[in-house]
């Protein structure tokens, strides 16, 4: 979020999803551990994806679509 703040304070108030990319490079156990640690630290669950393998991308797409449907400016 601090990276977004450097661009604009408005960005940090927008809804968002978090993707954990390049999961094809690590084991399923590592993915689970990273997701668990991230969620414990931030309260948000990242969506594991591998763009290269097209794994998790549908879940990410659905999360973004839901976010857009539920967010009104």
């Amino acid at each position: 979020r601090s990276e977004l703040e450097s661009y604009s304070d408005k960005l940090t108030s927008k809804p968002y999803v978090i993707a954990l990319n390049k999961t094809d490079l690590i084991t399923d156990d590592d993915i689970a551990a990273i997701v668990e640690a991230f969620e414990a630290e931030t309260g948000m669950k990242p969506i594991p994806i591998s763009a290269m393998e097209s794994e998790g991308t549908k879940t990410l797409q659905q999360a973004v679509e839901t976010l857009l449907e539920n967010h009104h400016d």
Side-chain angles (χ1 to χ4, degrees), residues 7-55:
Y7 292 105
S8 168
D9 288 338
K10 290 181 181 181
L11 288 176
T12 59
S13 66
K14 303 273 185 195
Y16 58 95
V17 295
I18 297 173
L20 173 63
N21 194 16
K22 299 187 185 254
T23 56
D24 54 291
L25 301 177
I26 58 179
T27 67
D28 288 344
D29 288 341
D30 288 340
I31 294 167
I34 292 168
V35 168
E36 183 179 325
F38 189 89
E39 187 173 14
E41 179 73 24
T42 66
M44 294 202 58
K45 187 173 183 177
I47 300 169
I49 68 166
S50 169
M52 183 174 178
E53 302 290 329
S54 297
E55 293 176 357

